[in-house]
Amino acid sequence: MIKSHSSKPLIKRALACCVMGIALNGASTAAAERPRVGLVLGGGGARGAAHIGVLEVLRENRIPVDCVAGTSMGGLVTGAVAAGLSPDEMLTAMGEADWRAMFDDNPPVEELNPRVKYRSRRFIPGAEMGMTKEGAQTLPAVVQGQKVKLFINRLVRSQYGGPLIEKMPIPVSIIATDLVTGDKVVFREGGLTHAMRATMSVPGLMAPVKDGDRLLVDGGLVDNVPIDEVRDRCKADVVIAVNVGSPLMKANDIGGIFAVAGQMINILTEQNVTRSLATLKSGDIYIKPDLDGITAAQFERYAETAKRGRAAAEAALPRLQALGVGEQQYRDWLARTTPVRGGLPVVDEVRIAGLKRVNPAYPGRYLKDYDGVPVDVDRVDKDMGLIFGDGEYDHVDFAMLSTRDRNILRVTPLEKEFGPDYLRFGFNLHAVSSGPSVFNLRAAYHKTLINSLGGEWLGGVQIGNEMGAFTEFYQPLDAERRFFLETKLSFVRSPLYIYQDNKRLAEYAIDQAAVEVMAGINVGLWGPVSVGWAERYRSAGLETGSPLFPAGSQRFGGFLARLDFDQFDRLYTPTRGWSAQGSYFHAVGGDYDKAELDLRAAESFGDYILHGRVRGAGSFTGALPFYDAVTLGGFLNLSGFARAQIIGESLAFGSVRGEKIVGKLPLGLRGDMRVGVALEAGKVNGRYTETSLDGWQNSLTAYVGGETPLGMVYLGYGYSSNGPGNYYLFIGTP
């Protein structure tokens, strides 16, 4: 017989097991009610802003996701999701970004160091070729992606510390392509911003990202809609796949090398998208926004693109809503998947890493006064741009590193792999209806970082209407390259046309040789001021026509002072800023001196730009001799007269120009297109030519032009009441 007291514990244990079983079964049932959801965000350039609209709908309907995978622009949005940004924050970031400027790596011209400005006026910016043991190396893409990387850093809040994919609160995968092997590269760990920048590297447009021995580009080449990745990443039961890819172009739309290259990329992308979509299951949800008329380059239409993504997601709501959860459960999910950030870290140390050839003090000149203050991302971005603007790096990046007791701002300037020796090129075509055209080609060998202080040598030749050669050596005297010594030797033979009563009567061949030894100081980013000694040689010989101009030769030397300040925001087509170029030469024993000053300013009012210029030249102690005379005439230099038509002992010149921006060049190319009108007035005293032109001369000029990768392009007409009037075509560098 069993006693009653022994049965009570058994009953209690049985009841407890039942209760536990019911609880567990309830929990599992609840879990089963919410399938694991994987979100796939495809690539498509600017069309990827549609993903933000989809995310808005998911948030409003409380649809949590368990993992996210993205490619290209979808990879950018994936990174933003991992960093905990809301759709509203993503839209704000898209709106604040200057996407056109983002695809021009360099900072505004006023923030470039003076040596870069000097070279950019003489040679085509970005047309350099690196000289290595393997031979000449060209740039791998139109842009290096410097500003794109800084935008990515800002987007995911890198100032709080370099985010790692494996430490993100939600599992994410970002897809790239190994350009060497063609293999798919999946980032499931490592630096988040590094992966985002890699997947954004459109081949030919943006430079590949180096990752160990790999060169990484846009993942859209191998897997533009990575459906299989989310199935594997979080064992997704349901996949929400968003496809924003560009359709193939029609035959009539394929014109030019860029269109052909774009079509080839689209073909590769569409092929892998077709394969990916074939893996969708009946329970998956496919969203393809109607993005007709929106191209991969139209980032400025981000708000409209996001609305179209939202519309497509709302059309899928009957199926999406089945994945929604309760308010509390969704709040819990948001809390788990949103990174927790405290206040901005205080910088205890600035550390420059990775330099092999450049003295760390050189980029370090921009990184002072950081210690002891919270990191300021605006300042950091600007200083990264200034360092990049030195022209010696493929890109410049930063990261916040935290140890037990110190916050370190680590700056990594990655030196150009194809340097430090370069070939540089320039050219110009100056065609004018009232006189001969001028065409010149310029090529130079540029050797940099000769020593630890940054010494450099530049030597080259020019062929065309103006034949010559030059060699220059520039030696900084301190690690920050503030003080310098400079020597120059040059020779050029150029034609000089003699005019009288608007008729070309003679042509002279002018030989000019010069030697300069100068010492100077760079006044911040304004430019250099230098003093020294110059030896000059001039020779004039009659080629054709009447001997109306003194022939012969003259050698003269003297003291030389020079300043070259440039604070314009653009190299050729400024919208704001100012510049001041001036020189003073005292000819020892030559009984004269020569002073020149050229002041310019610009200010913009929306799409309208106002320019002003004042120029003067002459001698304080005596008349300028013929071999060192000044000239007026030529495009925007008294345009109604031919180039250098008026020659004399001194001059005064002023002009006012108004321009309107009427269009922009395609994304990835610099500048904009403008129409302009100029009012000019000039006076030459002691004239050697056009001796009958007394007093002030006027000119009215109308033109259209723009800045291109080859330099400036202008087409215009100059009218003067006393001049011949001229049609102009100018292409290239000055």
Side-chain angles (χ1 to χ4, degrees):
M1 185 176 181
I2 300 176
K3 295 181 180 179
S4 61
H5 72 270
S6 62
S7 65
K8 291 181 180 180
L10 292 174
I11 294 172
K12 289 180 179 180
R13 285 195 292 270
L15 290 172
C17 289
C18 290
V19 171
M20 185 177 295
I22 292 170
L24 291 173
N25 183 65
S28 62
T29 300
E33 289 176 353
R34 195 186 80 78
R36 297 186 65 81
V37 178
L39 179 63
V40 179
L41 305 178
R47 294 158 64 95
H51 294 313
I52 303 175
V54 175
L55 291 173
E56 286 178 336
V57 174
L58 296 182
R59 175 166 288 213
E60 291 169 3
N61 289 273
R62 302 189 302 276
I63 301 170
V65 297
D66 298 281
C67 63
V68 187
T71 300
S72 192
M73 191 65 179
L76 183 80
V77 179
T78 293
V81 170
L85 272 71
S86 69
D88 286 344
E89 290 173 318
M90 296 180 199
L91 282 175
T92 299
M94 292 284 289
E96 292 176 346
D98 186 345
W99 289 95
R100 184 166 295 275
M102 199 176 299
F103 290 93
D104 180 3
D105 289 315
N106 291 315
V109 172
E110 73 265 30
E111 297 179 0
L112 292 174
N113 85 58
R115 290 299 294 176
V116 175
K117 294 177 190 177
Y118 171 75
R119 292 195 300 268
S120 298
R121 297 195 199 106
R122 300 177 67 187
F123 305 100
I124 300 172
E128 65 190 21
M129 297 178 65
M131 299 302 296
T132 67
K133 295 179 180 179
E134 290 76 29
Q137 304 288 323
T138 59
L139 289 172
V142 176
V143 296
Q144 293 296 104
Q146 172 65 25
K147 292 182 181 178
V148 172
K149 183 58 168 67
L150 294 179
F151 169 76
I152 292 171
N153 289 348
R154 179 186 290 265
L155 181 68
V156 302
R157 315 291 197 261
S158 289
Q159 62 266 34
Y160 290 93
L164 298 175
I165 295 175
E166 63 269 27
K167 293 187 177 182
M168 294 293 97
I170 184 171
V172 296
S173 302
I174 295 175
I175 313 301
T177 302
D178 188 331
L179 189 59
V180 177
T181 65
D183 294 335
K184 179 168 72 173
V185 177
V186 181
F187 283 98
R188 290 186 174 186
E189 60 183 18
L192 178 64
T193 61
H194 177 72
M196 294 166 68
R197 169 63 182 84
T199 197
M200 290 282 289
S201 300
V202 179
L205 173 62
M206 197 177 304
V209 170
K210 191 169 183 180
D211 184 72
D213 295 330
R214 302 184 297 193
L215 291 176
L216 304 183
V217 295
D218 193 333
L221 297 177
V222 290
D223 197 357
N224 201 48
V225 185
I227 295 170
D228 287 343
E229 174 59 23
V230 295
R231 293 201 197 280
D232 185 57
R233 185 76 163 108
C234 64
K235 310 304 178 187
D237 300 304
V238 177
V239 172
I240 302 173
V242 188
N243 180 15
V244 296
S246 300
L248 296 178
M249 291 182 286
K250 306 297 183 183
N252 293 336
D253 299 326
I254 304 175
I257 186 172
F258 291 107
V260 172
Q263 182 77 337
M264 292 173 63
I265 293 174
N266 287 343
I267 291 172
L268 292 172
T269 301
E270 283 301 304
Q271 288 177 347
N272 71 67
V273 168
T274 300
R275 291 193 298 269
S276 293
L277 296 181
T279 68
L280 288 172
K281 301 177 181 179
S282 60
D284 298 330
I285 301 172
Y286 177 58
I287 299 174
K288 185 172 177 56
D290 179 7
L291 301 175
D292 186 43
I294 299 177
T295 71
Q298 291 178 312
F299 290 94
E300 70 278 3
R301 298 175 68 178
Y302 73 94
E304 176 190 354
T305 307
K307 288 180 180 179
R308 295 199 193 186
R310 179 185 183 92
E314 288 175 341
L317 268 180
R319 299 189 66 195
L320 286 172
Q321 287 175 332
L323 303 174
V325 298
E327 291 187 8
Q328 184 59 51
Q329 190 174 355
Y330 191 73
R331 284 197 298 268
D332 292 343
W333 176 83
L334 279 178
R336 291 195 306 271
T337 57
T338 303
V340 179
R341 300 188 181 93
L344 286 169
V346 174
V347 179
D348 298 304
E349 178 186 352
V350 176
R351 186 177 298 173
I352 300 173
L355 291 177
K356 299 177 181 178
R357 299 186 296 263
V358 179
N359 191 320
Y362 191 45
R365 73 195 191 279
Y366 299 118
L367 301 172
K368 299 178 179 180
D369 303 321
Y370 272 87
D371 294 357
V373 297
V375 61
D376 182 345
V377 68
D378 291 329
R379 181 188 172 188
V380 174
D381 279 359
K382 181 178 180 179
D383 290 344
M384 298 303 103
L386 292 173
I387 295 172
F388 182 84
D390 287 338
E392 294 171 338
Y393 316 101
D394 280 334
H395 70 261
V396 182
D397 204 356
F398 76 93
M400 285 298 304
L401 307 176
S402 297
T403 64
R404 291 181 178 179
D405 57 352
R406 296 180 66 78
N407 294 316
I408 300 169
L409 175 62
R410 185 183 67 188
V411 177
T412 309
L414 182 63
E415 296 164 327
K416 290 181 176 177
E417 292 191 353
F418 59 87
D421 298 348
Y422 308 94
L423 289 177
R424 302 189 183 278
F425 305 93
F427 88 103
N428 59 66
L429 169 65
H430 193 124
V432 58
S433 59
S434 68
S437 298
V438 175
F439 179 76
N440 297 302
L441 292 172
R442 190 180 303 120
Y445 190 94
H446 187 203
K447 188 175 185 62
T448 70
L449 301 176
I450 295 175
N451 49 52
S452 62
L453 296 179
E456 56 183 88
W457 172 79
L458 182 70
V461 297
Q462 179 170 292
I463 60 175
N465 298 86
E466 299 170 341
M467 307 285 290
F470 57 90
T471 181
E472 306 173 3
F473 183 74
Y474 181 87
Q475 179 58 60
L477 299 179
D478 61 310
E480 295 185 3
R481 307 186 196 179
R482 186 181 181 190
F483 302 95
F484 63 88
L485 295 174
E486 186 176 24
T487 61
K488 296 182 178 180
L489 173 63
S490 64
F491 172 82
V492 63
R493 167 169 286 189
S494 57
L496 178 66
Y497 302 100
I498 307 302
Y499 292 82
Q500 187 65 33
D501 299 326
N502 294 323
K503 297 179 180 179
R504 182 158 51 96
L505 302 179
E507 177 186 346
Y508 283 76
I510 306 297
D511 291 339
Q512 302 180 67
V515 178
E516 296 180 2
V517 180
M518 309 289 287
I521 178 174
N522 289 309
V523 184
L525 296 175
W526 282 14
V529 176
S530 56
V531 297
W533 182 268
E535 289 283 341
R536 295 174 175 175
Y537 171 83
R538 298 287 190 275
S539 175
L542 181 66
E543 294 287 299
T544 61
S546 304
L548 303 175
F549 194 78
S553 61
Q554 183 73 35
R555 177 177 173 269
F556 51 104
F559 297 103
L560 176 64
R562 181 183 290 130
L563 67 85
D564 185 3
F565 292 167
D566 187 345
Q567 284 293 281
F568 282 126
D569 63 330
R570 299 185 186 178
L571 185 62
Y572 303 120
T573 57
T575 61
R576 56 175 174 78
W578 60 272
S579 70
Q581 282 80 40
S583 65
Y584 176 78
F585 177 75
H586 178 75
V588 176
D591 240 2
Y592 83 101
D593 56 8
K594 182 180 183 180
E596 296 182 274
L597 184 63
D598 192 348
L599 304 176
R600 309 186 192 206
E603 187 57 67
S604 62
F605 306 89
D607 288 336
Y608 295 88
I609 302 99
L610 182 66
H611 301 260
R613 182 185 183 188
V614 176
R615 179 183 170 218
S619 176
F620 293 114
T621 59
L624 288 180
F626 73 90
Y627 52 80
D628 206 13
V630 295
T631 68
L632 272 182
F635 186 61
L636 298 180
N637 194 40
L638 213 61
S639 306
F641 294 84
R643 188 183 187 199
Q645 182 174 337
I646 311 174
I647 306 172
E649 298 173 359
S650 65
L651 68 83
F653 173 83
S655 70
V656 176
R657 288 191 289 137
E659 294 181 332
K660 185 181 189 306
I661 299 174
V662 295
K664 295 189 180 291
L665 293 171
L667 192 65
L669 305 179
R670 290 184 295 274
D672 45 45
M673 299 298 295
R674 305 179 180 190
V675 296
V677 176
L679 298 175
E680 306 160 78
K683 179 181 180 182
V684 176
N685 296 319
R687 294 174 302 280
Y688 292 107
T689 62
E690 299 290 5
T691 55
S692 62
L693 292 178
D694 293 327
W696 288 88
Q697 307 300 313
N698 59 72
S699 184
L700 173 65
T701 308
Y703 60 90
V704 59
E707 188 172 339
T708 77
L710 296 179
M712 283 307 306
V713 175
Y714 279 126
L715 180 65
Y717 177 76
Y719 168 80
S720 176
S721 57
N722 293 321
N726 288 291
Y727 292 97
Y728 288 96
L729 173 63
F730 180 86
I731 304 174
T733 55

